[in-house]
Amino acid sequence: MPFEYLPPLLRASKSKIVLIVMDGLGGLPVEPGGPTELEAAHIPNMDRLAAEGMIGLSTPIRPGITPGSGPAHLALFGYDPLQYEIGRGVLEATGVGLHVGRGDVAARGNFCTLDSAGNISDRRAGRISTAEAIPLVEKLKDVKVPGVEIEVRHVKEYRFAVVMRGEGLDPDIDDTDPQATGVPPLPAQARTPAARRTAELFNQWIASARRALDRHPKANGLTLRGFATDPNLPSFQDSYGLRPACVSVYPMYKGVASLVGMQVIDFPGETPEDEFSAVSRVWQDFDFFFIHIKKTDSKGEDGDFRGKAAIIEQVDAALPRLLDLNPEVLIITGDHSTPTLLRTHSWHPVPFLLWAPKTVRPDDQTVFGERACAHGGLGNFPALDTIPLALAHAGRLDKFGA
Amino acid sequence: MPFEYLPPLLRASKSKIVLIVMDGLGGLPVEPGGPTELEAAHIPNMDRLAAEGMIGLSTPIRPGITPGSGPAHLALFGYDPLQYEIGRGVLEATGVGLHVGRGDVAARGNFCTLDSAGNISDRRAGRISTAEAIPLVEKLKDVKVPGVEIEVRHVKEYRFAVVMRGEGLDPDIDDTDPQATGVPPLPAQARTPAARRTAELFNQWIASARRALDRHPKANGLTLRGFATDPNLPSFQDSYGLRPACVSVYPMYKGVASLVGMQVIDFPGETPEDEFSAVSRVWQDFDFFFIHIKKTDSKGEDGDFRGKAAIIEQVDAALPRLLDLNPEVLIITGDHSTPTLLRTHSWHPVPFLLWAPKTVRPDDQTVFGERACAHGGLGNFPALDTIPLALAHAGRLDKFGA
C-alpha cells in the first residue's frame, strides 16, 4: 500500500492538492452508441482541464468489484479496502460526529414497531420522520448502563447510532435485527467468549431503552446492527505529510474522512459552489482538500440521466472559483460508478482527470468522458495510486534510492 | 516477482535477447503541445521497430515514485525494488569494481577538510580533483586494521569506496558524516549490539587513515556513509536461464549488473556504436545483453533538450549494427524518465519498445514516442514484467499448468 513506502520519501512543500470526488461519477449510455451522463454534460472547464492534463480510468477495489461508499473512499485515500475494513457501526457513528476510539464499540440502530406479543411488525417503525425520531433519541440518551458510557445520536428518519465506551469491550457480536417481521428482535449475541460481557451490556441497554420507548405507537422497539470498533487506520497526515481537510455535505463521507484523520470543515449551504467557497476560506490552513459531491450518485440511483449530467454541469460551472486558488494539483474523479441505467453502484472503472500544469505529460485527449478516459495517458489503474500520483505532481516526493 | 514463478517454466533455447536502456529516456514537452525529447528526435530505425513491434509505457517502481538508478535497473531486471534494497555503500563499491561478498561491509567515503580544532570546514574537501584524490586513496590503501581485510578504491573527485572483509561483520552502523560543518566527524556508531565490533574496526581504520592524510591541506579528513552488505540478490542466470552480459560505460550500472550476476564486458570507446560493437564481439558467449546508454540522462539533468534528442539519434543511427546480429528479441526503453524540463529524474512512465519479429502482436503504432506509447499495445505496465515478456518472445518459456 502506498503509505508503506511513501513516508521515507516525503518532502516538505507548500503545494496544494485538491481532490474532487463526484460520487458515482462513472456511467453508461442509456441507448446503444449514446453518451454516458458525463459525456452528455456540457462541461467546458473540465474539458479544458482534460486537454491540459491527463485522463484515465481508475478501479476502486479490484476489477469487477462494485464498491460501497466507505471502501471506495478508503481506496482513493490509499488504504486498500481488502486490508482495511470499516465496520458499518463505525461508519454510521462517525458519520454523525460520534467519536469511536480504540476499544469503543459502535452500532447502527433502527427504531422498529413491536406488536403486543413483542414481535416486529415493522422493521423501520413506519419510516418515522426525523422530527418524530429526534425526541425518541433524546429519551435513549438518558438510558444508562452501569460500568460503561453510552452515547447515542440520531442519523436520519428511523436510524440512529450508538457508541459504548469502557474497559475490555469487544465488537464481535451478531446483529439483533432478525431481518424479518413476525419474530422478536434477537438478543445481542457474542460470537466469541471475549465479547460476552459486551453483548450482555448491550442487552441491558436494549432492555432499558425499550422501557423508555414503550409508549410510542410506532417506534416502541429497536434493533442494532454492524457492531464494530475503531479500524485504527494509519493517519493520512503522517502517511503523506499533508494537512488534510474534508468538505462534504453528507455525514457518511465526513465520517470516513475523519477516520483517516482529516479535519472536517463546517460550512453553510450545500451546492458545489458552497463547497468550493468553503475550501477557499480554509485554503491557507491545509495542503489537501477532499471535496465530496453527493448528488451525482443520488441522481444515478434515481435513474435520472439528465439530472446526473446537470449536477456534473453545476460542478463544472463552479470550478473557476477553485482554479482561482491556483492548486498545484487538481484531481476530478468519482469514488465508483453509478450508471443511471443500472440505478445502483457498479464495478465499472471511474473517469479520472489529473491536472498539474507544471509536470503533467499530455496525452492528446481533449474532453472528459468515459470513452476519452479509456484512451487517456493514465491508462487503467488502481484507485490506490491516486495519492502517490498527486504527491509526485505536487513536488512532495523525493527519489527512491540512489 | 517474476523469478518466483518463472524457473519451473524455463525452456532451453539459443535465442538472444537485447535490452537497450537509455538512461532517463522519458521526457516532457518544454512547451504546451510540443514534442518530448524522444518525439523530437529523428529516429527512423526505432520508428520502424515500433511499427513492426509493440510499444507501451512502463512504471519502474510504483506510480508516482521517482526512482534512483539502482532501484530502476533492479526493476527492469525483475527484482522488486521495494523488496530488494541495495545499500548505498554497496552500489558505490561495486560500481568501481570492488567485490562485496556475503558478510562484507561496504561504505561510501568522502574526503573532507578539518580545521585545527578537528571540526569539518568543508564536507567535500574543496571538491578536490580526481588527479589530486588518487594519491590520497593510494595512501588509504596502506592503512591496515588487524583481523580484517580492507579494500579502498577511488570513485570520482572527493569520493571513494571502502570494503571491509572478515568474520562476523555487521553493516548496521550510522553515517559518520554529520551533514554539517563546524563540528567533528561522528564516530562510526553501531545501531545494534551485533554491529559494535564492526563499528569499532571502522573507527580504528578511520583513526589510522586520518594520520595518513594528516598533512594534506584540503583532504585531511574523511567521512563514511551508507554502510551496507551484499544484498544477496537471486542470480539472474539461475532465475531466467540466460547467460547475461552487461555493456556499460559507467561504473554504477556495471555495479548493479554484477550484483545480479551479469558478466561485465570490457570494451574500448564509449559511444553507442562502441557499445554495440562490444556486443557483437561477445555475441556467441551470452544469451542476454544489457546495454546501458548514460548520456540521455546526463543531458536531461543538464536541461539540454536538443542534446538529449541527439543522443537518442546516435543510438538510432547505430542500431543497424545491432540488428545485423539478428536478435530474437530487442527491447528499447529507459530505466526512468529524466525530462529536460525538470532537470532531474521523475516518476513519469517510461517509453518501451518490444521488437520480436516472429511473435509480436502489432498495435497500429508507427512511431516511438511518449504519446504513441500511451496508446501502444503493451499499455501501462510495471517494469518488473520486462524479463518475462522478453523470455516469452524469445521462446524460452513453457506453458504454465496443463
Side-chain angles (χ1 to χ4, degrees):
Chain A
M1 243 157 304
F3 49 74
E4 287 163 2
Y5 51 85
L6 290 181
L9 308 178
L10 296 175
R11 179 200 287 171
S13 167
K14 296 190 168 169
S15 56
K16 308 275 190 189
I17 299 169
V18 175
L19 170 65
I20 301 178
V21 178
M22 289 190 269
D23 205 298
L25 175 64
L28 286 172
V30 287
E31 50 198 44
T36 65
E37 301 89 319
L38 177 59
E39 289 168 344
H42 177 65
I43 46 170
N45 291 307
M46 291 186 207
D47 286 344
R48 176 175 69 78
L49 295 175
E52 295 175 9
M54 298 183 85
I55 58 177
L57 288 171
S58 86
T59 295
I61 299 184
R62 295 293 186 275
I65 303 302
T66 296
S69 296
H73 277 83
L74 277 191
L76 276 175
F77 300 155
Y79 302 76
D80 188 341
L82 294 191
Q83 176 167 344
Y84 292 98
E85 197 185 341
I86 306 178
R88 296 280 185 129
V90 172
L91 211 56
E92 194 91 327
T94 53
V96 290
L98 280 178
H99 176 69
V100 184
R102 191 95 67 96
D104 298 350
V105 174
R108 310 162 76 183
N110 276 9
F111 290 114
C112 66
T113 312
L114 301 178
D115 64 20
S116 56
N119 293 326
I120 298 174
S121 58
D122 188 323
R123 288 178 52 245
R124 296 184 186 84
R127 292 185 184 267
I128 55 167
S129 69
T130 291
E132 250 181 306
I134 283 174
L136 297 173
V137 171
E138 289 305 310
K139 286 190 186 178
L140 294 185
K141 287 181 182 175
D142 294 332
V143 176
K144 308 289 179 202
V145 175
V148 288
E149 179 199 329
I150 291 172
E151 203 173 354
V152 185
R153 198 162 290 183
H154 183 247
V155 174
K156 202 178 169 184
E157 299 166 352
Y158 57 90
R159 284 158 49 202
F160 61 89
V162 55
V163 177
M164 183 181 286
R165 302 190 183 94
E167 291 300 307
L169 299 181
D170 188 304
D172 208 359
I173 298 171
D174 280 330
D175 293 354
T176 76
D177 184 345
Q179 299 280 345
T181 54
V183 293
L186 300 166
Q189 189 128 20
R191 293 195 202 107
T192 61
R196 272 187 204 146
R197 181 173 153 265
T198 312
E200 184 41 45
L201 290 164
F202 269 108
N203 284 325
Q204 286 178 39
W205 181 79
I206 292 166
S208 304
R210 277 189 53 183
R211 283 194 293 277
L213 300 172
D214 214 18
R215 271 172 300 181
H216 195 280
K218 284 182 283 187
N220 62 344
L222 60 89
T223 57
L224 298 181
R225 292 179 297 151
F227 292 90
T229 188
D230 170 31
N232 195 21
L233 301 171
S235 144
F236 190 95
Q237 178 152 359
D238 294 348
S239 303
Y240 305 132
L242 296 166
R243 295 169 300 166
C246 159
V247 172
S248 168
V249 175
Y250 274 60
M252 215 209 71
Y253 309 94
K254 300 181 195 176
V256 182
S258 69
L259 283 172
V260 301
M262 292 191 196
Q263 188 160 327
V264 174
I265 308 299
D266 283 323
F267 62 97
E270 56 170 45
T271 67
E273 268 208 325
D274 296 330
E275 297 195 67
F276 295 168
S277 297
V279 169
S280 75
R281 278 194 296 277
V282 297
W283 188 247
Q284 294 311 322
D285 303 328
F286 299 93
D287 313 300
F288 179 90
F289 303 85
F290 157 53
I291 306 172
H292 183 263
I293 309 284
K294 175 66 184 171
K295 288 191 176 163
T296 31
D297 181 60
S298 317
K299 298 291 182 187
E301 296 202 328
D302 293 345
D304 180 357
F305 186 94
R306 189 56 231 163
K308 185 174 167 189
I311 301 294
I312 299 169
E313 288 169 351
Q314 271 181 34
V315 175
D316 191 80
L319 269 181
R321 174 183 301 252
L322 203 58
L323 291 167
D324 283 347
L325 297 169
N326 293 314
E328 271 72 14
V329 177
L330 171 62
I331 290 170
I332 304 177
T333 186
D335 55 343
H336 55 74
S337 295
T338 303
T340 50
L341 181 73
L342 305 180
R343 294 174 174 254
T344 181
H345 291 202
S346 80
W347 63 91
H348 300 84
V350 187
F352 192 102
L353 191 168
L354 169 67
W355 182 80
K358 290 189 192 149
T359 51
V360 92
R361 182 187 278 166
D363 59 3
D364 289 339
Q365 300 302 320
T366 55
V367 297
F368 189 40
E370 282 83 350
R371 287 169 175 88
C373 285
H375 296 105
L378 289 169
N380 278 262
F381 65 97
L384 284 175
D385 296 344
T386 302
I387 302 291
L389 281 173
L391 289 170
H393 283 278
R396 286 176 165 271
L397 291 180
D398 277 331
K399 193 162 64 169
F400 179 94
Chain B
M1 242 157 305
F3 49 76
E4 288 163 2
Y5 52 85
L6 290 181
L9 309 179
L10 296 175
R11 177 199 289 173
S13 167
K14 296 190 168 170
S15 57
K16 307 278 189 189
I17 300 170
V18 175
L19 170 65
I20 301 178
V21 178
M22 288 189 269
D23 205 297
L25 176 63
L28 286 173
V30 286
E31 51 198 43
T36 65
E37 300 88 321
L38 177 60
E39 289 168 345
H42 176 65
I43 46 170
N45 291 307
M46 290 186 207
D47 287 344
R48 176 176 67 80
L49 295 175
E52 295 175 10
M54 298 183 84
I55 57 177
L57 290 171
S58 85
T59 294
I61 300 184
R62 294 291 187 277
I65 302 302
T66 296
S69 296
H73 277 83
L74 277 192
L76 276 175
F77 300 155
Y79 302 76
D80 188 340
L82 294 190
Q83 176 166 344
Y84 292 99
E85 196 186 341
I86 307 179
R88 298 267 183 139
V90 173
L91 210 56
E92 194 91 325
T94 53
V96 291
L98 282 178
H99 176 69
V100 184
R102 191 94 68 95
D104 298 349
V105 174
R108 310 162 77 185
N110 275 9
F111 290 114
C112 67
T113 312
L114 302 177
D115 64 21
S116 56
N119 293 325
I120 297 174
S121 57
D122 187 323
R123 287 178 54 241
R124 296 183 185 86
R127 293 186 183 268
I128 55 166
S129 69
T130 291
E132 250 181 304
I134 284 175
L136 296 172
V137 170
E138 289 305 310
K139 285 189 187 180
L140 294 185
K141 287 182 181 175
D142 294 333
V143 176
K144 308 289 179 202
V145 174
V148 289
E149 180 198 329
I150 291 173
E151 202 172 356
V152 185
R153 198 162 290 185
H154 183 248
V155 175
K156 201 178 170 184
E157 298 167 353
Y158 58 91
R159 283 159 50 202
F160 62 89
V162 54
V163 177
M164 183 181 285
R165 303 190 181 94
E167 291 300 308
L169 299 180
D170 189 303
D172 209 356
I173 298 173
D174 280 331
D175 293 352
T176 77
D177 183 346
Q179 300 279 345
T181 54
V183 294
L186 301 166
Q189 190 129 20
R191 293 196 201 106
T192 61
R196 273 189 204 144
R197 181 173 152 267
T198 312
E200 184 42 44
L201 290 164
F202 270 107
N203 284 324
Q204 287 176 36
W205 182 80
I206 292 166
S208 305
R210 276 189 55 184
R211 283 192 293 276
L213 300 172
D214 214 16
R215 272 171 299 181
H216 195 280
K218 284 182 285 189
N220 62 343
L222 60 86
T223 57
L224 298 180
R225 293 179 297 151
F227 293 91
T229 189
D230 170 33
N232 195 20
L233 301 170
S235 145
F236 190 95
Q237 178 151 0
D238 294 349
S239 303
Y240 305 132
L242 296 166
R243 294 169 300 164
C246 160
V247 172
S248 167
V249 175
Y250 274 58
M252 216 208 71
Y253 309 93
K254 300 181 196 177
V256 182
S258 69
L259 283 172
V260 300
M262 292 191 196
Q263 187 158 329
V264 175
I265 308 300
D266 283 323
F267 62 99
E270 57 170 45
T271 67
E273 270 208 324
D274 296 330
E275 298 194 64
F276 295 168
S277 297
V279 169
S280 76
R281 278 194 296 277
V282 297
W283 188 249
Q284 293 311 322
D285 304 329
F286 298 93
D287 313 301
F288 179 88
F289 302 85
F290 157 53
I291 306 172
H292 183 263
I293 309 284
K294 174 65 183 171
K295 288 191 173 162
T296 30
D297 181 60
S298 317
K299 297 293 182 187
E301 297 204 327
D302 292 345
D304 180 357
F305 186 94
R306 190 55 231 164
K308 185 174 167 187
I311 301 293
I312 299 169
E313 289 169 351
Q314 273 180 34
V315 174
D316 191 80
L319 270 180
R321 174 182 301 252
L322 205 57
L323 292 167
D324 284 346
L325 297 169
N326 293 313
E328 272 71 14
V329 177
L330 171 61
I331 291 171
I332 304 177
T333 185
D335 54 343
H336 54 74
S337 293
T338 303
T340 51
L341 181 74
L342 305 179
R343 294 173 172 257
T344 183
H345 292 199
S346 82
W347 62 93
H348 300 85
V350 186
F352 191 101
L353 191 168
L354 170 67
W355 182 80
K358 290 191 193 146
T359 50
V360 92
R361 181 188 281 164
D363 58 2
D364 289 340
Q365 299 301 319
T366 56
V367 296
F368 189 41
E370 282 82 351
R371 286 170 175 88
C373 285
H375 298 105
L378 289 169
N380 278 263
F381 66 98
L384 284 175
D385 295 345
T386 302
I387 302 291
L389 282 172
L391 288 170
H393 283 280
R396 286 176 166 271
L397 291 180
D398 276 332
K399 192 162 61 171
F400 180 95

